[in-house]
């Protein structure tokens, strides 16, 4: 689990408008439309909803990340949902949120970042939601994924969320993880849901064979720029970004990568 740093997130609130127009240029969808697409919910239905959403700072473990709850709340408010940050943190923050009538809670410790709908009991986990949201973005950038070969790098929680969404969009999934056992665990989970997954063990070979990529691993420079072509489309939820800096401007119009926006938006739509 990559822990965000303050300078990963301190620009988010001020740049959400330009972030959204860039997302529309790349995917044809706003952040709200993309998250609705990711969870298969109708935009008209969700836009009428006005739940009270509380974001609760958590001081446990490695503690507060300066700007984290502010970034989360700014994304939720940008989506048109009233979110507030509790004055208290931890258990006090949860109590304050409930006493002030919150219906949805967002909070993150070192291991899990969750959204909870107190009324329905539905829980969304950032890892799975982020994988799903990024695949929805890839699907829009590719104008459909049915029957298309997609290489998934990373078989952790984000990778699993991505794989389940890839399967639902009927893509042909290959997975590579430095830990082969992780790839096998992911393939087994997908097989239980009736989806086949090809396990790749040679990254060089896999990157030569694929131009639709999901980078859901925290490794830097896992995708050397010589693999990138004008056909490459890359959805990269993994932090830090896994391509060398020389490759970024070449692929920028076909690259999805942000520290929180798509994950938080998909979490919200999953619990609404
Ligand atoms: O400020 C706070 O409330 C902190 N307890 C937040 C800690 C978040 C730790 N998790 C992460 O940095 C990453 C994020 C990308 C979301 C999941 N893990």
């Amino acid at each position: 689990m990559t822990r965000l740093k303050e300078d990963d997130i301190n620009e988010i609130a001020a740049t959400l408008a330009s972030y959204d127009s860039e997302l529309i240029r790349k995917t044809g969808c706003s952040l709200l439309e993309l998250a609705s697409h990711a969870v298969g919910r109708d935009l008209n239905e969700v836009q009428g909803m006005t739940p009270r959403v509380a974001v609760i700072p958590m001081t446990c473990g490695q503690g507060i990340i300066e700007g984290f709850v502010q970034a989360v709340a700014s994304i939720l408010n940008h989506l048109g949902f009233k979110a507030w940050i509790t004055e208290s943190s931890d258990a006090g923050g949860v109590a304050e949120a409930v006493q002030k009538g919150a219906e949805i809670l967002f909070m993150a410790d070192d291991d899990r970042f969750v959204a909870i709908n107190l009324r329905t009991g539905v829980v969304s986990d950032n890892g799975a939601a982020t994988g799903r949201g990024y695949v929805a973005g890839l699907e829009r950038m590719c104008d459909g994924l049915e029957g298309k070969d997609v290489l998934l790098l990373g078989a952790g929680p984000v990778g699993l969320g991505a794989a389940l969404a890839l399967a639902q969009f009927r893509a042909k999934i290959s997975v590579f993880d430095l830990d082969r056992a992780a790839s096998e665990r992911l393939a087994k989970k997908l097989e239980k849901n009736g989806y086949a997954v090809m396990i790749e063990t040679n990254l060089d070979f896999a990157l030569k064979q694929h131009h639709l990529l999901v980078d859901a691993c925290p490794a830097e420079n896992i995708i050397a720029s010589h693999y990138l072509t004008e056909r490459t489309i890359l959805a990269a939820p993994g932090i830090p970004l896994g391509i060398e800096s020389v490759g970024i401007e070449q692929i920028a119009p076909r690259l999805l990568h942000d520290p929180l926006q798509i994950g938080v938006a998909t979490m919200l739509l999953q619990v609404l």
Side-chain angles (χ1 to χ4, degrees):
M1 166 78 71
T2 309
R3 181 176 169 86
L4 287 171
K5 293 184 290 296
E6 187 183 338
D7 53 14
D8 291 326
I9 52 182
N10 56 19
E11 294 289 302
I12 288 176
T15 58
L16 275 165
S18 57
Y19 171 90
D20 228 338
S21 11
E22 187 184 342
L23 191 63
I24 291 169
R25 271 198 306 282
K26 291 178 180 177
T27 67
C29 293
S30 68
L31 186 56
L32 182 61
E33 288 164 340
L34 186 59
S36 312
H37 181 53
V39 304
R41 293 190 70 168
D42 183 281
L43 208 47
N44 301 320
E45 178 216 343
V46 300
Q47 276 176 317
M49 302 170 95
T50 55
R52 285 177 57 74
V53 185
V55 185
I56 303 158
M58 306 296 282
T59 65
C60 43
Q62 297 182 61
I64 295 289
I65 298 178
E66 202 48 49
F68 178 78
V69 289
Q70 290 80 3
V72 173
S74 70
I75 295 164
L76 297 170
N77 286 304
H78 171 78
L79 294 169
F81 296 87
K82 294 262 159 299
W84 93 91
I85 298 165
T86 57
E87 276 155 48
S88 306
S89 62
D90 306 298
V94 174
E96 178 189 330
V98 171
Q99 285 166 334
K100 288 181 180 170
E103 208 176 322
I104 294 173
L105 309 183
F106 276 75
M107 65 190 94
D109 60 23
D110 294 348
D111 305 313
R112 293 192 62 188
F113 174 20
V114 292
I116 300 167
N117 184 317
L118 295 173
R119 190 170 44 78
T120 64
V122 174
V123 175
S124 171
D125 206 281
N126 174 263
T130 299
R132 173 167 290 279
Y134 269 81
V135 164
L138 180 70
E139 194 269 350
R140 291 292 79 216
M141 290 196 288
C142 301
D143 198 15
L145 282 172
E146 176 139 14
K148 294 183 184 172
D149 289 312
V150 180
L151 175 60
L152 170 62
L153 302 177
V158 178
L160 179 58
L164 289 166
L166 285 167
Q168 282 163 359
F169 283 122
R170 313 181 72 74
K172 286 161 69 184
I173 309 168
S174 294
V175 60
F176 172 86
D177 192 296
L178 292 168
D179 170 7
R180 169 145 188 185
S183 295
E184 278 158 6
R185 282 194 297 275
L186 181 143
K188 273 206 182 42
K189 284 178 190 152
L190 271 284
E191 268 144 35
K192 269 203 211 105
N193 291 274
Y195 300 114
V197 171
M198 170 85 74
I199 293 177
E200 295 283 356
T201 50
N202 178 320
L203 182 58
D204 172 59
F205 176 79
L207 284 170
K208 282 181 181 143
Q209 301 293 315
H210 292 85
H211 56 273
L212 303 184
L213 308 175
V214 178
D215 175 10
C217 79
E220 274 194 294
N221 301 340
I222 188 167
I223 305 171
S225 36
H226 63 78
Y227 293 110
L228 304 175
T229 70
E230 67 292 339
R231 294 177 65 203
T232 305
I233 302 180
L234 171 57
I239 295 178
L241 182 58
I243 48 176
E244 295 171 318
S245 44
V246 283
I248 291 181
E249 55 284 358
Q250 169 200 7
I251 192 178
R254 302 181 308 283
L255 165 65
L256 280 189
H257 178 67
D258 70 42
L260 271 178
Q261 293 90 325
I262 289 175
V264 168
T266 307
M267 289 167 80
L268 177 70
L269 272 285
Q270 282 189 326
V271 299
L272 266 184

